[in-house]
Amino acid sequence: QGDGVMMEDGKVAEGKERKDVFQAPPPVIMFSGSGLNSSKGLRRQKRDWVIPPINVAENSRGPFPQMLVSIRSDQDQDISIRYSITGVGADQPPNEVFNIDPVLGKMFVTKPLDREHRSSYHLRAHAVDMNGNQVENPIDLYIFVIDMNDNRPEFKNQVYNGSVDEGSKPGTYVMHLSAFDADDNTTANGMVRYRILSQTPHSPIPNMFTINSETGDIVTVAPGLDREKVSQYTIIVQATDMEGNLNFGLSNTATAIITVTDINDNPPMLTSRTFSGEVPENRVDVVVANLTVIDADQAHSPNWNAIYQIISGDQFGHFTIRTDPVTNDGMVTVVKPVDFEMNRSFMLKVAVSNQAHLASGIQSSLQSTADVTISVQDVNEPPYFPTNPKHIRFEEGVPAGTSLTTFSASDPDRLHMQSIRYSKLNDPADWLSINRTNGQIVTTGMLDRESIYVKNNIYEATFLATDNGSPAASGTGTLQIYLIDINDNPPALIPKESQICERMNKNVNGVNITAADADTDPNAGPFVFELPNFPTSIRRNWTISRISGDYARLGLRYQVYLEPGVYEVPIIVSDSGNPPLSNRSVIKVKVCPCDENGDCTTLGAVAAAGLGTGAIISILICVIILLSMVLLFVVWIKRREKERQTKQLLIDPEDDVRDNILKYDEEGGGEEDQDYDLSQLQQPDSLEHIISKPPGVRRVDERPIIPESQYPIRPVVPHPGDIGDFIHEGLRAADNDPTAPPYDSLLVFDYEGSGSTAGSVSSLNSSSTGDQDYDYLNDWGPRFKKLADMYGGGDDD
């Protein structure tokens, strides 16, 4: 001891009885002896000793508290010392795992420790005197929790999934498993080892796989993996700690499911070496034969999907083979029509393969090819026109009964001697007919190039050819007739009406005219325009000058004056046909006075309409009178409007009812007036009968249904000043009240009823006691002057 620290090993072997745990005395830890309160003066400070760690086994069964060490100071002989410990596990959470006797310095552990929860503790021991003064430097205490094998290995998952290709060689990696042990992995308690307990199924041998005992890697051991025989293996793997010692170690198990993945080791095989089918001629997109195939590889994968190919027998590409995505069958389909008269049957050789290539070392089967026989069925084919459409040229205007051409059809069924009958299918102008037996086209009407049924000089008709097969078949043909134009339409003058100035320079005065011809070149323009010899006034007053081949100018002869009016000028127009056709047309020319710009004036236009000067003046006078009357009427209307706006709003003083006694007509016969229903004048207490009315139904004497304005309440005992304020407030409320009359309806007066808001006037009778001053009546204005004279001034009474 002396300057050092004395400590004895307190570790106890596991499995001993509790009475043998502390047979050896507990270790004693001494402070370094460098007291701070020594009464012997200054002393040399001794160096601190390194305190060995204190080892405590986890999961101890006690009894508790269990003493660990004794802590002492060499000054406890001179003074009283108090001992304490600080740190995690003492005065910090978790609190009170360790405590110390403050007088004796014995440190205890109070409960079992768990290394997996906390593997070590760091505490500090303190020594102080009775006044709390530190007498020793604190010493560090390290407590290590000794591990025990109290945790089993745990797999993260209970089921692991792996895969391996079929046909894999021995030693091929498959998958990895791992287990975790919470115990100390530096000791045997946490060292895990793996082994395979079982394999299901046992085919082809019970031990197809092995596992690395330390890493948990599973690999193949033997060859023979075949997905088509065994597609999945189930393996039970055991993990054991204590380095795999089954006697002392703890174990746990997990399941590994190994899927054998497919490779293309099975070529597709056709179920037969020969297949057959039949197809109607001239049909396309129909399945004529179905090829069935089997493949042991995984369905609907590239190793299983079949691809068909025609090797020979279809040099013109009439067929193709499509794969059914569900059944994997091959559907022989016609993509190009076949002709019975050309080929009555086809001999196809087909081959099938997979979408994926065969695995290495796998040879293609002889059953991957087959022969397919396709028979062609004969059907009655419709006749056809060899030239369709057929074009011919013919002049228009040929008479009915003219033979145009023979439009005949051919029958594809050459082996059958069938007859063909012809008929007309569409003839828009009904100009043609066809011979039923030989197809000769004959006209039934005159061909007209200018008809609306002719487009771009071509007339088109369609015909039907039908054979006598069973069932009968028919085909259509189109005949296009190009019509050559002849000069059969005379030209027509354009325009039909125009106007001209009565006096103008002969170089600019005139009307440009032309002609329209339904025919085409050379039977149309250039045109020749001439004035007729009769009547003679035409050539005397008018002249025509040529501008171009299609245009000419009609004008007045120089120094010829014509009265304004409308003149009909006949003109002879001839075309350039052989022989030419002429047409006598009339143009209406309005001759009128013109302004300096050469435009007809308004008077000139009227005059040109055929009215004389007197008629024109009369019309102008009537127009002026009508405009004057309209102007006077407008002035009168505006004057009336202005007077209405400037008229005073108040009525005349003689009609004013204010401060006047009004005389009304005889009121009636007294009680006879009781027959009137006064309830119609009474304001209803609610507006429900108005609100409940259907939309659009409303009496004109009802006020609008909107919130009413608040009117002031008249005081029961009026005061002269209050009456004036009351009147002004009521007037202001009425001006701002949208529900107050008039509101474009009958004025409604409320029936006052039997009650009255005014107080009793019985206080005015002569029997009342006491004198009353009525002088305030003089302040109420002239209307109360009589009452003031009657009741005011006590002398008159």
Side-chain angles (χ1 to χ4, degrees), residues 521-592:
D521 293 334
N523 298 319
F527 302 104
V528 176
F529 301 91
E530 297 177 310
L531 293 175
N533 295 324
F534 182 84
T536 58
S537 59
I538 299 301
R539 286 182 174 268
R540 185 173 59 247
N541 297 329
W542 302 90
T543 181
I544 288 181
S545 58
R546 182 183 179 89
I547 298 178
S548 64
D550 293 332
Y551 290 90
R553 175 171 296 169
L554 173 66
L556 290 172
R557 286 190 176 275
Y558 185 62
Q559 293 182 349
V560 171
Y561 171 76
L562 294 179
E563 287 287 337
V566 179
Y567 296 87
E568 294 184 352
V569 181
I571 299 176
I572 300 174
V573 184
S574 302
D575 59 21
S576 299
N578 186 20
L581 293 181
S582 300
N583 185 22
R584 182 186 175 98
S585 301
V586 176
I587 180 173
K588 293 183 179 181
V589 181
K590 294 180 182 179
V591 179
C592 60

Side-chain angles (χ1 to χ4, degrees), residues 144-165:
F144 290 161
V145 183
I146 304 303
D147 182 47
M148 296 180 63
N149 190 20
D150 56 347
N151 291 278
R152 293 179 179 273
E154 297 290 342
F155 286 97
K156 182 179 180 181
N157 302 314
Q158 284 300 311
V159 178
Y160 291 83
N161 293 289
S163 63
V164 61
D165 289 340

Side-chain angles (χ1 to χ4, degrees), residues 4 59 197 247 254 285 322 474 488 511 542 651:
N59 302 322
L197 295 182
N247 296 324
D285 293 331
R322 301 187 178 115
S474 60
D488 57 347
V511 177
W542 302 90
I651 59 178

Side-chain angles (χ1 to χ4, degrees), residues 460-476:
E460 188 173 278
T462 55
F463 299 91
L464 193 67
T466 306
D467 61 19
N468 61 345
S470 180
S474 60
T476 60

Side-chain angles (χ1 to χ4, degrees), residues 390-686:
K390 184 175 183 179
H391 303 273
I392 62 173
R393 294 172 62 91
F394 233 85
E395 281 190 351
E396 65 172 331
V398 296
T402 303
S403 178
L404 299 182
T405 185
T406 299
F407 197 23
S408 59
S410 300
D411 193 346
D413 298 312
R414 296 184 298 272
L415 302 180
H416 304 281
M417 303 303 293
Q418 298 180 148
S419 61
I420 299 176
R421 294 292 181 265
Y422 301 92
S423 61
K424 186 169 61 173
L425 184 62
N426 183 32
D427 183 11
D430 198 19
W431 288 341
L432 307 174
S433 66
I434 187 169
N435 188 286
R436 287 183 55 83
T437 58
N438 59 16
Q440 185 178 15
I441 306 296
V442 179
T443 61
T444 58
M446 187 177 65
L447 304 181
D448 184 8
R449 192 196 65 86
E450 289 74 36
S451 172
I452 60 174
Y453 301 107
V454 178
K455 307 297 182 185
N456 297 324
N457 300 329
I458 296 176
Y459 179 74
E460 188 173 278
T462 55
F463 299 91
L464 193 67
T466 306
D467 61 19
N468 61 345
S470 180
S474 60
T476 60
T478 302
L479 178 65
Q480 294 181 341
I481 306 173
Y482 184 89
L483 295 177
I484 302 172
D485 182 47
I486 63 174
N487 193 18
D488 57 347
N489 293 279
L493 185 67
I494 298 175
K496 298 295 184 182
E497 296 181 356
S498 185
Q499 65 182 18
I500 193 171
C501 297
E502 59 181 356
R503 290 187 179 90
M504 285 290 288
N505 190 307
K506 66 177 181 179
N507 295 326
V508 298
N509 188 19
V511 177
N512 290 339
I513 58 176
T514 185
D517 198 325
D519 296 323
T520 59
D521 293 334
N523 298 319
F527 302 104
V528 176
F529 301 91
E530 297 177 310
L531 293 175
N533 295 324
F534 182 84
T536 58
S537 59
I538 299 301
R539 286 182 174 268
R540 185 173 59 247
N541 297 329
W542 302 90
T543 181
I544 288 181
S545 58
R546 182 183 179 89
I547 298 178
S548 64
D550 293 332
Y551 290 90
R553 175 171 296 169
L554 173 66
L556 290 172
R557 286 190 176 275
Y558 185 62
Q559 293 182 349
V560 171
Y561 171 76
L562 294 179
E563 287 287 337
V566 179
Y567 296 87
E568 294 184 352
V569 181
I571 299 176
I572 300 174
V573 184
S574 302
D575 59 21
S576 299
N578 186 20
L581 293 181
S582 300
N583 185 22
R584 182 186 175 98
S585 301
V586 176
I587 180 173
K588 293 183 179 181
V589 181
K590 294 180 182 179
V591 179
C592 60
C594 297
D595 55 16
E596 61 276 5
N597 296 325
D599 298 325
C600 275
T601 61
T602 303
L603 293 177
V606 175
L611 299 178
T613 305
I616 295 175
I617 295 175
S618 299
I619 292 174
L620 292 177
I621 293 174
C622 291
V623 171
I624 294 173
I625 293 175
L626 181 61
L627 292 176
S628 301
M629 293 177 64
V630 172
L631 182 60
L632 291 175
F633 179 76
V634 172
V635 172
W636 180 76
I637 290 296
K638 289 187 174 293
R639 182 177 180 184
R640 288 291 303 274
E641 183 67 22
K642 184 176 181 181
E643 291 177 354
R644 184 179 295 107
Q645 293 177 355
T646 56
K647 186 176 180 180
Q648 296 182 356
L649 296 177
L650 300 177
I651 59 178
D652 294 335
E654 60 183 12
D655 297 330
D656 191 4
V657 298
R658 296 176 298 177
D659 297 341
N660 290 307
I661 299 176
L662 302 180
K663 181 178 181 301
Y664 292 90
D665 290 338
E666 188 66 23
E667 292 183 353
E671 293 182 355
E672 295 177 357
D673 291 339
Q674 299 302 321
D675 295 336
Y676 292 97
D677 185 10
L678 297 180
S679 65
Q680 299 298 324
L681 300 177
Q682 190 170 5
Q683 173 67 25
D685 294 334
S686 67

